[in-house]
Amino acid sequence: MKTLAFISILFFLPVLPAFSSDDPYILLKRAKESIDRGNYEDAVSNLDIFNKGSHLLRDYALYWRALSFSNMDRHENVFTDIGKIKAEYPASPILRKAIKLEAETASRIDSGRGIKSCRKYLTKYPHDNGVRLILADLLHDTGDSAGAFKEYKKIYISAKEFSDEALQKIDPAGLTVSDIYKRSNNLMKQYFFSKAEKELKEIIAETRGEIKRSIEENLAKSLFKQKKYNEAADHYNKLGDLYYETYSLYRASWSLYPETKEKFEEKLGLLIKKKDPKASFLRLKKALFLRRSGNVEAAITILEEIKSDPSIREDAMWNLGWAFYLDKNYKKALPIFNSLYKKYGDNRYLYWFARTSERLDQDASSLYERFTDPDNYYSLLALTKSGRHIPPIIQREMKNNKDSDKLKRLSILLRLDMKDAVAIESRHIMRQLSKRNHELILSACRLLNRAGLYNESIVLLKRIPPAKRDKTLLYPYAYKDLVKEVYDRFSVDPLLVLSIMREESRYDEDAYSPAGAAGLMQLIPPTARTFGGKTGIKIDNIFDIINVKNNILIGGFYMKELLGRFNSIPASLASYNAGEHKVEKWLASGNYTSDDEFIEDIPYYETRKYVKRVLKTYFQYKRIYDYDRDLSFYTLMNIQSGH
């Protein structure tokens, strides 16, 4: 069966015909290869010949020729070719890069012309800090210190590319408290909470007036996001924000430290006394902790008291029923799950109503028969329970599409294997395609998939109604050589690796999370360094982590270690997301009788949701690339070395 997966992916990929030696587009490929080697004269020669014809992609040819002229210091030729792009191809996907090249070239030959070109470019693309830095330097060199400072400050406040370079060129004393506050907002939007904390602490002592509160709020938030809960609580106390002070104390492992616990109980009491509507949420959190600690009776008492609060009624009722279920008080759990399902219609409630019925030796077959959607986690559990056949996922047939000529440019670039141009053209197509033309979108998605732009393909596919989507594109056999290497070296099922990758990053190679996890497999730096060392991969910086090969191999090896440690796919997935020590603690204290109970009782909402998503995705991958008529969602959770 191992071969089947790789045969399948070859079958699903569109076949692109090769170029003949006299095809004019070969000239484009030769020219781009010459540019990459620094042989600009040869590039210009090939592009001159190409531009004599009326070919698609002439806008790219003009841009690459202008780029070659720029490197040859033939500046007027640069302006001529870019002028042609602007006049003849005003909607070209390469237009922005062309205008940027024009501004950069102008800045090298004449300050005044460069300033004018940069400003014109920034009017249309204000977030390009690279061009803004060129503008600031030109203003500085021509004696406009005030204008230069204004541009440097914009770059610094943005907290994005070149912000550190901009700071080196200005006097920090010229920055106001308001500037630092704005920058802290931008840092936190990009998840740089530690940096925001450092910069806010440097100014807060000397800050006065209304803005001090705003700075204090940002500082408290940055601390909370870094899990510095006790310190965050202190700042929320200064702000008089009783709810977030109490919530911070709860998150600060309040139960482990007598002083913190006393503070938490005191503050929670104040919230209750003030009849704060959010107090019930914290009481719910306390009840969950008590139940997990073995104090089921106290937890049930709290849940009974708060279940009438409309803001948390559903959560309180669910947790009350779940507490009874885990305590094996099935008679009390059953009517709660039934009531929840009737009121809210959630499959989770129906599934546990069926499971509880089984515990009471009642026939639950009619309940399981209500589940029909094989794309739903609970349906997959129920379909397996009832022994029903789950069909394979087959590639959707394509209809002839008269508009497919719109994709010819992308198809040519794919055949030329011009990855940078493919990415530019693909994003342009995503912006231009009409949502109404489903077949054209499907054609574009297949080409994007063929280009290895899996994230873009999935995003574009979401424009089509679910019933008309090609699910083989939603679950692509991505990075097949690398996931095969993971299997060959570590015996981890390639489809499990792909499932993790899909749910961690949706195949975004540059994905970065608030917790500092990076890349396709979302590795945090300590994990990347530890397990990278064990696989012979040296990790020195974030770029080493984001590197596609490093990321997939390290993530695959880490999963191998977890599978060996837990001998359970659900527990290993939970560990991948939340950490193995936490999962060991959950397993030791939970006394679970089945995998579905463990998954449902994972304390962290994000981890619980993550495990369900990956398992569902893993099953869909199996239905496409490694189908077996006897495939079972329950047996899928057991350790498999891969097919």
PDB file of all heavy atoms in Angstrom, residues 506-518:
ATOM      1  N   ARG A 506      -1.651  25.275   7.569  1.00  0.00           N
ATOM      2  CA  ARG A 506      -2.324  25.301   6.264  1.00  0.00           C
ATOM      3  C   ARG A 506      -1.293  25.455   5.138  1.00  0.00           C
ATOM      4  O   ARG A 506      -1.531  26.099   4.137  1.00  0.00           O
ATOM      5  CB  ARG A 506      -3.356  26.421   6.168  1.00  0.00           C
ATOM      6  CG  ARG A 506      -4.718  26.126   6.740  1.00  0.00           C
ATOM      7  CD  ARG A 506      -5.417  24.968   5.999  1.00  0.00           C
ATOM      8  NE  ARG A 506      -6.803  24.810   6.405  1.00  0.00           N
ATOM      9  CZ  ARG A 506      -7.214  24.096   7.431  1.00  0.00           C
ATOM     10  NH1 ARG A 506      -6.338  23.452   8.178  1.00  0.00           N
ATOM     11  NH2 ARG A 506      -8.495  23.990   7.725  1.00  0.00           N
ATOM     12  N   TYR A 507      -0.140  24.852   5.341  1.00  0.00           N
ATOM     13  CA  TYR A 507       0.945  24.841   4.352  1.00  0.00           C
ATOM     14  C   TYR A 507       1.525  26.224   4.079  1.00  0.00           C
ATOM     15  O   TYR A 507       2.065  26.468   3.002  1.00  0.00           O
ATOM     16  CB  TYR A 507       0.475  24.191   3.039  1.00  0.00           C
ATOM     17  CG  TYR A 507      -0.025  22.798   3.241  1.00  0.00           C
ATOM     18  CD1 TYR A 507      -1.371  22.490   3.115  1.00  0.00           C
ATOM     19  CD2 TYR A 507       0.841  21.783   3.611  1.00  0.00           C
ATOM     20  CE1 TYR A 507      -1.841  21.207   3.346  1.00  0.00           C
ATOM     21  CE2 TYR A 507       0.378  20.496   3.850  1.00  0.00           C
ATOM     22  CZ  TYR A 507      -0.958  20.221   3.715  1.00  0.00           C
ATOM     23  OH  TYR A 507      -1.402  18.963   3.945  1.00  0.00           O
ATOM     24  N   ASP A 508       1.420  27.116   5.062  1.00  0.00           N
ATOM     25  CA  ASP A 508       2.079  28.429   4.960  1.00  0.00           C
ATOM     26  C   ASP A 508       3.501  28.268   5.502  1.00  0.00           C
ATOM     27  O   ASP A 508       3.701  28.109   6.707  1.00  0.00           O
ATOM     28  CB  ASP A 508       1.299  29.466   5.767  1.00  0.00           C
ATOM     29  CG  ASP A 508       1.938  30.852   5.718  1.00  0.00           C
ATOM     30  OD1 ASP A 508       3.020  30.995   5.107  1.00  0.00           O
ATOM     31  OD2 ASP A 508       1.355  31.785   6.288  1.00  0.00           O
ATOM     32  N   GLU A 509       4.487  28.312   4.615  1.00  0.00           N
ATOM     33  CA  GLU A 509       5.873  28.045   5.007  1.00  0.00           C
ATOM     34  C   GLU A 509       6.414  29.077   5.994  1.00  0.00           C
ATOM     35  O   GLU A 509       7.347  28.792   6.751  1.00  0.00           O
ATOM     36  CB  GLU A 509       6.761  27.993   3.753  1.00  0.00           C
ATOM     37  CG  GLU A 509       6.400  26.833   2.832  1.00  0.00           C
ATOM     38  CD  GLU A 509       7.189  26.841   1.526  1.00  0.00           C
ATOM     39  OE1 GLU A 509       8.073  27.722   1.376  1.00  0.00           O
ATOM     40  OE2 GLU A 509       6.936  25.977   0.666  1.00  0.00           O
ATOM     41  N   ASP A 510       5.846  30.283   5.982  1.00  0.00           N
ATOM     42  CA  ASP A 510       6.324  31.353   6.868  1.00  0.00           C
ATOM     43  C   ASP A 510       5.415  31.573   8.069  1.00  0.00           C
ATOM     44  O   ASP A 510       5.512  32.612   8.731  1.00  0.00           O
ATOM     45  CB  ASP A 510       6.448  32.664   6.077  1.00  0.00           C
ATOM     46  CG  ASP A 510       7.443  32.554   4.939  1.00  0.00           C
ATOM     47  OD1 ASP A 510       8.500  31.934   5.146  1.00  0.00           O
ATOM     48  OD2 ASP A 510       7.164  33.073   3.842  1.00  0.00           O
ATOM     49  N   ALA A 511       4.539  30.621   8.362  1.00  0.00           N
ATOM     50  CA  ALA A 511       3.591  30.788   9.471  1.00  0.00           C
ATOM     51  C   ALA A 511       4.325  31.029  10.785  1.00  0.00           C
ATOM     52  O   ALA A 511       5.350  30.404  11.064  1.00  0.00           O
ATOM     53  CB  ALA A 511       2.708  29.554   9.590  1.00  0.00           C
ATOM     54  N   TYR A 512       3.788  31.961  11.584  1.00  0.00           N
ATOM     55  CA  TYR A 512       4.398  32.313  12.880  1.00  0.00           C
ATOM     56  C   TYR A 512       3.283  32.551  13.877  1.00  0.00           C
ATOM     57  O   TYR A 512       2.340  33.294  13.600  1.00  0.00           O
ATOM     58  CB  TYR A 512       5.267  33.562  12.727  1.00  0.00           C
ATOM     59  CG  TYR A 512       6.115  33.878  13.937  1.00  0.00           C
ATOM     60  CD1 TYR A 512       7.334  33.239  14.140  1.00  0.00           C
ATOM     61  CD2 TYR A 512       5.696  34.808  14.879  1.00  0.00           C
ATOM     62  CE1 TYR A 512       8.115  33.520  15.251  1.00  0.00           C
ATOM     63  CE2 TYR A 512       6.462  35.090  15.992  1.00  0.00           C
ATOM     64  CZ  TYR A 512       7.673  34.446  16.172  1.00  0.00           C
ATOM     65  OH  TYR A 512       8.444  34.721  17.278  1.00  0.00           O
ATOM     66  N   SER A 513       3.355  31.912  15.036  1.00  0.00           N
ATOM     67  CA  SER A 513       2.259  31.982  16.001  1.00  0.00           C
ATOM     68  C   SER A 513       2.605  32.909  17.165  1.00  0.00           C
ATOM     69  O   SER A 513       3.773  33.247  17.370  1.00  0.00           O
ATOM     70  CB  SER A 513       1.976  30.580  16.564  1.00  0.00           C
ATOM     71  OG  SER A 513       2.915  30.253  17.571  1.00  0.00           O
ATOM     72  N   PRO A 514       1.592  33.322  17.960  1.00  0.00           N
ATOM     73  CA  PRO A 514       1.860  34.159  19.140  1.00  0.00           C
ATOM     74  C   PRO A 514       2.811  33.501  20.130  1.00  0.00           C
ATOM     75  O   PRO A 514       3.508  34.186  20.874  1.00  0.00           O
ATOM     76  CB  PRO A 514       0.466  34.335  19.768  1.00  0.00           C
ATOM     77  CG  PRO A 514      -0.488  34.120  18.651  1.00  0.00           C
ATOM     78  CD  PRO A 514       0.151  33.111  17.752  1.00  0.00           C
ATOM     79  N   ALA A 515       2.855  32.170  20.148  1.00  0.00           N
ATOM     80  CA  ALA A 515       3.744  31.459  21.075  1.00  0.00           C
ATOM     81  C   ALA A 515       5.162  31.320  20.531  1.00  0.00           C
ATOM     82  O   ALA A 515       6.025  30.741  21.187  1.00  0.00           O
ATOM     83  CB  ALA A 515       3.177  30.075  21.368  1.00  0.00           C
ATOM     84  N   GLY A 516       5.402  31.855  19.333  1.00  0.00           N
ATOM     85  CA  GLY A 516       6.739  31.791  18.758  1.00  0.00           C
ATOM     86  C   GLY A 516       6.997  30.555  17.921  1.00  0.00           C
ATOM     87  O   GLY A 516       8.128  30.302  17.511  1.00  0.00           O
ATOM     88  N   ALA A 517       5.942  29.764  17.637  1.00  0.00           N
ATOM     89  CA  ALA A 517       6.108  28.582  16.784  1.00  0.00           C
ATOM     90  C   ALA A 517       6.194  29.030  15.335  1.00  0.00           C
ATOM     91  O   ALA A 517       5.487  29.949  14.913  1.00  0.00           O
ATOM     92  CB  ALA A 517       4.939  27.622  16.978  1.00  0.00           C
ATOM     93  N   ALA A 518       7.066  28.354  14.558  1.00  0.00           N
ATOM     94  CA  ALA A 518       7.343  28.825  13.203  1.00  0.00           C
ATOM     95  C   ALA A 518       7.343  27.692  12.195  1.00  0.00           C
ATOM     96  O   ALA A 518       7.649  26.545  12.514  1.00  0.00           O
ATOM     97  CB  ALA A 518       8.694  29.543  13.175  1.00  0.00           C
TER      98      ALA A 518
END
